[in-house]
Amino acid sequence: MKRKIGLIVNPVAGMGGTVGLKGTDGEMYKKALELGAKPVTPERTKDVLSHIRTKDRITLFVAPGKMGERHVEGTDMPYTVIGKVAGDTAAEDTKRISEEMVNSGIELLVFVGGDGTARDIYDAINSKISVVAVPGGVKVFSSVFSVSARAAAEMIEAFVESTDVTEEEVLDIDENAFREGRLASRLYGYLLVPNVKKLLQGAKEASGISGSSVEWKKEIAVYTVEEMDKRVLYLLGPGTTLKAISDELGVPKTLLGIDAIFEGKSVGRDLNEKGILELFDKYEKRKVILTPIGGNGFILGRGSKQLSTEVIKQVDRENIMVVATRDKINMLDCLRVDTGDLDLDRLLSGYMEVTVGYKEKMMVKVRC
Amino acid sequence: MLKEPIKLNMNEVAYPPSKEIIESARKSLMDLNRYSEPEDIERLLGLLADYSGVPKKHIIQSPGSDLLLREIIHTYSKGRKIVIVSPSFFPTVQAAKQFATKLISIRLSPPDFDLNPDLLLDQLNEPCLVILDNPNNPTGKILLDRKMVGSIVDHRDVLIVVDEAYYEFSGVTFADMVQEHPNLAITRTMDKAFSLAGARIGYMIAGEAFLDAFSSFYMILPRPSLCAAIQALKNPDYMRRNVCRVIAERERIWNVLNDNLAVPVYKSMTNFLLIKTDVPDMVGKLADIGILISDLSNQLPSGFIRVSIGNREENDAFITGYMKICETYSKEKF
């Protein structure tokens, strides 16, 4: 049976990179055009399509014009156009057409773009269906992206052949900060992708080490729960590794927020700074469990508004616990902190123990 | 695509064993229906002892040093914390993960990959088995000096194993400290510098504490391997000449790549080079043109690759292929 696959291309993604700009958000797109930037995504899209060997098993649905249709014309793949676009394309077009495609019954959405496109897709479809994300920009940070056009084609083939899916990160990158040479990112959400880890951006498979990412998270969770002190309030940061810990405890967890646990029970969900500080009034002993987010290893970034400098100061460095799967930690140069308070960042720098498995820890450098 | 792939992925030495070594192994094939002779085993132990500068009783031989490392980890993992570095020789990492009841890995971070001595010494507050490869594989870097080893062996509850698989290339050894420090052992191999990867001869230069547990570790080596190893040790100058050739080639590749490319090639004390590349899937692209190198994405951030030093012709093919791929990527990118 043929699989229904959608294709959406962000025609402006990556154009900033060709003229030395970082990102094409807002006014930057116009500036990139003035500087003579050329579209990057059409070639990437054609590259992906040319590498798919199971075309006869795919029914393709494409976005109109330069958002898809134009790049499929002239290829040997039949297609159906979904949605309409008038004039310049915008994030709203991506969101609307994604939804229309899902309503048309697609099983997989292939999109070509950058971190911003991934966020639009996440807003529109969340985890309703799986995606294959093709990096169209010069630099992408979300681990949801495939490493190359060829890798994306392999992921599509894996999906057609039927494979399981896994959650991968979508990051919110502050492009203004990035242009200033500073990376400020926060976890925006998770998209489902075909589970072919080695083909994903910065999330290479730890070949030779037995087990999968899910099993390693379980190992970490079992050990962390075993080591938990009933007299201590635990704040669990965002991320699927932290969710594995709450799953082990049998308590609910907000994937993107900060939740609190005491005596193995949930005592606060999706807490803001005020909520956390109120809990601190009640509980004298407290620990924060964090995991690095994105491919740059941030455990504490400016995007994490809930874990403010005030919160961190009240926790103390020795009560910050870090957990990460082996594949995640192996891909990082180091862990990073950027709280916005340089003195605090310096205090948090040095080496930290990271739990990477059952009774297994790694000493990893933290830089600011 | 080349007819036969160029194998620069296993840290083997490209130069074959000497004619005498091959002849010795060939002769032994006539007696393959027999186990190795005890006197040959003793002879190899004696030659390894002389080569290492220790009495024969300190030598434990094995088919491959990875088997020894695995056995050491298996023997001492109960009741001891295992301390290793990351990245490290992969079979060591695998065995540590499999057997350790408590495992600490100290991350060697790019760009310098230095081992922080204080961080290691801080871990030695309980019974430990420390295993460090020196030079480190895959960074090619020397991690330990005498002072550091001295500080570690001063901890009586600590056993330390230094894996010197690439000793002949680095010239750095702590074998002379073994007699004085019972809790120190050195593992080595004849797979690399002696051009005997196919023979699988590993050995341990063991301190007294290790001898207690390993005195019964009696591995009968295959007859051809034994004969090849004996012949190789009778004339180590052949190996030394090859080591000099490998080092000269290593430095030539290092210079060419560093002169022509913006991305770093790390200094190495081994027969391989660690390279950081910004070209995605460099390993696959080189494999497409028949050159096999190692992908390190299972231990290091993406973009790190390891290339073994081959003979001049192989190295030229690697340099040309690598630079061409970089050039093509550069054009595509901009």
Side-chain angles (χ1 to χ4, degrees):
Chain A
M1 201 176 81
K2 287 195 173 190
R3 309 297 296 266
K4 291 179 177 175
I5 295 178
L7 170 70
I8 293 184
V9 179
N10 176 354
V12 304
M15 286 176 68
T18 60
V19 289
L21 300 174
K22 292 168 179 170
T24 44
D25 275 4
E27 287 301 305
M28 279 298 142
Y29 168 57
K30 286 178 187 162
K31 195 168 177 185
L33 277 180
E34 283 167 18
L35 289 168
K38 298 273 186 310
V40 178
T41 45
E43 277 309 306
R44 291 288 166 98
T45 310
K46 282 177 184 158
D47 233 12
V48 176
L49 297 174
S50 68
H51 281 105
I52 300 173
R53 290 166 298 184
T54 48
K55 292 187 179 104
D56 55 334
R57 296 177 62 188
I58 294 170
T59 303
L60 196 61
F61 294 79
V62 297
K66 55 189 174 183
M67 287 187 74
E69 184 183 4
R70 197 174 293 172
H71 319 305
V72 187
E73 281 171 349
T75 68
D76 54 353
M77 293 185 83
Y79 59 89
T80 306
V81 179
I82 300 282
K84 285 182 182 159
V85 184
D88 286 342
T89 60
E92 292 313 314
D93 296 314
T94 304
K95 292 179 189 176
R96 190 186 65 256
I97 294 168
S98 310
E99 282 171 7
E100 286 179 38
M101 283 186 173
V102 171
N103 293 336
S104 300
I106 62 161
E107 301 159 88
L108 176 80
L109 176 60
V110 180
F111 68 89
V112 187
D115 289 299
T117 320
R119 290 196 295 279
D120 295 338
I121 298 286
Y122 171 78
D123 286 344
I125 70 166
N126 205 300
S127 55
K128 284 180 196 155
I129 59 164
S130 304
V131 303
V132 167
V134 186
V138 271
K139 179 92 178 160
V140 286
F141 294 92
S142 305
S143 66
V144 72
F145 283 96
S146 61
V147 288
S148 63
R150 191 196 287 198
E154 282 185 49
M155 290 179 82
I156 295 167
E157 285 171 4
F159 181 82
V160 170
E161 294 294 333
S162 174
T163 182
D164 57 340
V165 293
T166 183
E167 289 170 319
E168 288 295 333
E169 293 167 353
V170 175
L171 296 186
D172 184 10
I173 308 295
D174 181 341
E175 286 193 1
N176 288 326
F178 189 45
R179 281 183 204 102
E180 290 162 11
R182 185 167 59 78
L183 185 64
S185 65
R186 73 178 176 95
L187 181 60
Y188 193 77
Y190 288 89
L191 280 168
L192 295 174
V193 297
N195 191 9
V196 198
K197 272 277 192 186
K198 65 176 183 174
L199 302 175
L200 287 166
Q201 195 80 230
K204 295 287 180 72
E205 193 172 35
S207 58
I209 302 175
S210 60
S212 66
S213 181
V214 174
E215 287 164 347
W216 297 333
K217 282 174 191 168
K218 172 85 176 165
E219 254 187 64
I220 291 167
V222 169
Y223 180 54
T224 306
V225 169
E226 270 182 25
E227 294 288 295
M228 276 182 163
D229 184 338
K230 287 201 167 178
R231 297 162 299 174
V232 174
L233 173 80
Y234 289 91
L235 293 178
L236 269 56
T240 51
T241 313
L242 278 304
K243 186 171 182 306
I245 295 172
S246 63
D247 287 348
E248 186 63 25
L249 285 164
V251 298
K253 168 87 183 79
T254 51
L255 201 51
L256 306 180
I258 311 285
D259 294 1
I261 286 166
F262 185 73
E263 290 185 333
K265 292 186 181 69
S266 173
V267 290
R269 295 193 66 202
D270 205 7
L271 294 159
N272 57 20
E273 182 195 21
K274 187 165 166 274
I276 294 170
L277 292 173
E278 280 170 8
L279 280 174
F280 283 1
D281 289 339
K282 208 168 154 190
Y283 301 97
E284 197 183 332
K285 291 183 176 177
R286 69 275 303 219
K287 287 182 189 250
V288 178
I289 312 180
L290 299 169
T291 193
I293 298 295
N296 293 77
F298 278 100
I299 49 171
L300 281 169
R302 293 185 197 195
S304 178
K305 299 221 176 347
Q306 310 97 318
L307 294 174
S308 63
T309 51
E310 183 56 34
V311 168
I312 297 301
K313 280 174 184 167
Q314 288 199 32
V315 171
D316 289 338
R317 189 186 197 277
E318 66 267 26
N319 292 318
I320 296 175
M321 299 163 64
V322 184
V323 295
T325 55
R326 294 175 188 123
D327 58 340
K328 182 101 187 184
I329 210 78
N330 283 341
M331 76 179 201
L332 301 173
D333 285 356
C334 61
L335 296 174
R336 290 176 199 277
V337 289
D338 179 17
T339 62
D341 178 337
L342 196 57
D343 289 337
L344 181 61
D345 288 349
R346 284 190 184 129
L347 191 74
L348 294 169
S349 298
Y351 279 85
M352 268 191 191
E353 271 188 5
V354 180
T355 300
V356 295
Y358 187 76
K359 294 194 176 180
E360 184 185 342
K361 293 184 177 180
M362 192 178 280
M363 303 296 297
V364 184
K365 193 177 262 185
V366 181
R367 291 191 178 123
C368 59
Chain B
M1 179 79 178
L2 300 158
K3 279 180 190 167
E4 290 288 328
I6 294 176
K7 288 185 70 190
L8 303 178
N9 58 337
M10 300 290 282
N11 295 348
E12 298 151 336
V13 163
Y15 310 110
S18 68
K19 282 178 190 163
E20 291 78 15
I21 295 170
I22 292 169
E23 184 55 23
S24 179
R26 196 187 63 77
K27 269 187 192 166
S28 75
L29 295 175
M30 302 303 289
D31 298 312
L32 264 187
N33 56 320
R34 303 287 177 194
Y35 289 114
S36 300
E37 301 293 343
E39 52 268 34
D40 284 341
I41 293 170
E42 285 302 311
R43 198 167 173 212
L44 178 60
L45 286 174
L47 284 164
L48 286 171
D50 291 345
Y51 176 70
S52 308
V54 296
K56 200 161 83 174
K57 70 165 189 169
H58 288 281
I59 303 290
I60 309 285
Q61 61 188 22
S62 158
S65 57
D66 51 343
L67 187 73
L68 269 172
L69 287 161
R70 187 177 175 81
E71 197 60 28
I72 291 166
I73 292 167
H74 185 235
T75 303
Y76 295 111
S77 57
K78 289 186 190 77
R80 278 180 191 276
K81 177 169 76 178
I82 294 180
V83 181
I84 59 174
V85 290
S86 173
S88 188
F89 179 46
F90 204 59
T92 302
V93 178
Q94 281 178 307
K97 283 183 197 306
Q98 187 177 348
F99 297 120
T101 48
K102 192 175 178 188
L103 174 61
I104 294 279
S105 308
I106 298 173
R107 183 82 172 152
L108 306 175
S109 297
D112 49 30
F113 294 107
D114 282 334
L115 172 62
N116 181 328
D118 294 335
L119 202 64
L120 175 59
L121 294 174
D122 283 350
Q123 292 297 328
L124 310 183
N125 52 3
E126 59 184 299
C128 288
L129 169 64
V130 179
I131 303 182
L132 299 168
D133 42 0
N134 196 58
N136 173 255
N137 178 6
T139 65
K141 195 171 175 111
I142 290 286
L143 300 178
L144 295 167
D145 58 22
R146 265 169 192 280
K147 191 179 162 202
M148 181 73 176
V149 175
S151 302
I152 298 169
V153 293
D154 279 347
H155 292 74
R156 294 289 162 208
D157 278 342
V158 171
L159 294 171
I160 172 168
V161 178
V162 182
D163 181 14
E164 293 183 356
Y166 300 93
Y167 150 65
E168 285 82 3
F169 301 100
S170 74
V172 177
T173 182
F174 307 111
D176 59 304
M177 296 171 74
V178 161
Q179 285 174 269
E180 201 183 328
H181 300 286
N183 51 345
L184 171 65
I186 311 292
T187 52
R188 286 190 190 161
T189 179
M190 294 181 74
D191 291 6
K192 310 296 180 189
F194 284 93
S195 301
L196 289 177
R200 306 290 287 130
I201 306 284
Y203 61 104
M204 171 163 59
I205 308 160
E208 289 288 345
F210 291 89
L211 289 178
D212 291 345
F214 279 82
S215 54
S216 59
F217 188 83
Y218 187 76
M219 300 294 290
I220 300 179
L221 298 172
R223 192 179 268 267
S225 299
L226 198 55
C227 293
I230 289 169
Q231 189 60 43
L233 284 162
K234 277 163 71 178
N235 180 16
D237 283 345
Y238 179 78
M239 171 273 291
R240 289 186 186 116
R241 278 196 298 275
N242 283 342
V243 166
C244 288
R245 292 160 80 186
V246 170
I247 290 172
E249 278 297 289
R250 181 188 74 201
E251 295 308 298
R252 183 174 75 88
I253 301 173
W254 188 89
N255 282 318
V256 172
L257 295 187
N258 274 315
D259 285 350
N260 290 285
L261 300 167
V263 285
V265 180
Y266 292 82
K267 270 283 176 194
S268 170
M269 297 293 276
T270 63
N271 69 334
F272 58 82
L273 285 167
L274 177 72
I275 302 174
K276 175 93 167 84
T277 175
D278 56 0
V279 180
D281 193 26
M282 175 59 91
V283 175
K285 288 183 171 85
L286 280 168
D288 287 345
I289 56 168
I291 300 170
L292 307 181
I293 61 160
S294 281
D295 174 14
L296 299 174
S297 61
N298 60 343
Q299 292 208 75
L300 284 172
S302 63
F304 280 99
I305 53 172
R306 190 193 68 192
V307 58
S308 313
I309 309 301
N311 60 33
R312 193 173 180 96
E313 192 188 358
E314 292 171 334
N315 298 334
D316 282 343
F318 166 72
I319 292 169
T320 308
Y322 184 83
M323 287 179 40
K324 202 170 174 182
I325 291 166
C326 290
E327 201 182 306
T328 307
Y329 175 70
S330 220
K331 278 182 191 161
E332 279 173 6
K333 195 174 163 190
F334 300 106

